[in-house]
Amino acid sequence: MTDADFLTSSRVFYDAIAEDYDERFRDALAEMPLERAMIGVFAELVGRGGAVADLGCGPGRVTGHLAALGLDVFGLDLSSSMLEIARRENPDLLFVQGSMLELDVADGSLAGVVSWYSSIHTPVDELPSLFREFLRVLAPGGHLLIGFQVGDEPKRHERPWGHDVTLDFQRRQPDRIAGLLTTAGFEIVSQTVRAAQNEAQVPQAFLIARA
């Protein structure tokens, strides 16, 4: 699959399901204390007022939460439909359309980067380039927070909410992601795995790394 293929398939998928996705998961973060804790730790490490990019922001739930924690945050996503919701729900925040692999952001200009379940559609052979791009935009000492599902095989979502779209959600091993981040030039600060619970049938991983 080429860059254009996986980027296009991701955009088409999320454009189709955006409103249903937002309705289903709008309050999900309120029911996730460990996830909120990890985001809170990240926010403290970045520092109040720090410039942060929420990459693959979807409908902007995490973006809004980061802003409430005092960060100077903007969101980026491929999906125009997701961005429409994000702007509607967070009218005071900036949301832009684009690819995480080619950020229109100056070198070393950010204090933090968040990739909250947004690297899960990136093919494994593209992850080194993705992580180098994260590193490029971070100032020395800046922090990255990345979340993803743990596993070795992807989960295919077919016709969600009756929409005629399909997309694979990649699951990764935390040690493998930590190794790729280290190779890209990051220092691992924290590596946390939450056990599977409720609708999440697999463990969830949260890594914080320093540039």
Side-chain angles (χ1 to χ4, degrees):
M1 180 178 288
T2 67
D3 286 2
D5 288 336
F6 83 83
L7 293 173
T8 299
S9 60
S10 298
R11 176 181 53 76
V12 169
F13 182 87
Y14 284 105
D15 276 347
I17 70 167
E19 293 292 345
D20 290 301
Y21 180 97
D22 179 56
E23 182 177 351
R24 173 63 183 83
F25 296 110
R26 182 173 300 170
D27 300 319
L29 196 58
E31 302 170 0
M32 297 176 173
L34 183 58
E35 282 82 345
R36 293 198 311 275
M38 296 307 302
I39 295 170
V41 169
F42 167 80
E44 288 198 35
L45 289 171
V46 169
R48 191 168 186 85
V52 171
D54 180 14
L55 303 178
C57 65
R61 295 188 315 275
V62 171
T63 324
H65 187 65
L66 291 165
L69 294 174
L71 301 180
D72 179 15
V73 60
F74 75 92
L76 174 141
D77 205 272
L78 283 171
S79 168
S80 58
S81 296
M82 285 290 193
L83 291 171
E84 182 178 344
I85 297 169
R87 291 166 181 146
R88 184 177 73 212
E89 300 293 330
N90 303 276
D92 296 330
L93 299 181
L94 173 66
F95 293 93
V96 297
Q97 189 169 24
S99 167
M100 296 187 298
L101 284 162
E102 296 181 350
L103 296 169
D104 187 16
V105 177
D107 294 1
S109 60
L110 297 177
V113 165
V114 174
S115 175
W116 196 251
Y117 294 84
S118 59
S119 66
I120 61 175
H121 308 304
T122 303
V124 65
D125 59 351
E126 293 290 341
L127 290 178
S129 296
L130 181 66
F131 294 161
R132 287 194 299 270
E133 183 70 348
F134 291 170
L135 186 70
R136 179 187 69 79
V137 299
L138 282 169
H143 288 84
L144 166 70
L145 170 63
I146 181 169
F148 53 95
Q149 294 181 326
V150 177
D152 296 305
E153 298 295 331
K155 179 177 177 57
R156 174 159 293 184
H157 288 264
E158 296 182 286
R159 297 186 58 82
W161 295 287
H163 297 286
D164 190 20
V165 289
T166 299
L167 192 64
D168 287 341
F169 287 56
Q170 302 296 328
R171 294 168 173 174
R172 323 277 196 189
Q173 290 298 331
D175 287 344
R176 173 62 170 154
I177 297 301
L180 290 173
L181 288 170
T182 300
T183 299
F186 284 97
E187 173 190 358
I188 302 302
V189 174
S190 173
Q191 183 172 316
T192 301
V193 175
R194 174 175 68 68
Q197 62 186 39
N198 300 328
E199 292 186 10
Q201 299 301 311
V202 295
Q204 313 291 303
F206 314 104
L207 273 66
I208 297 176
R210 181 185 297 115

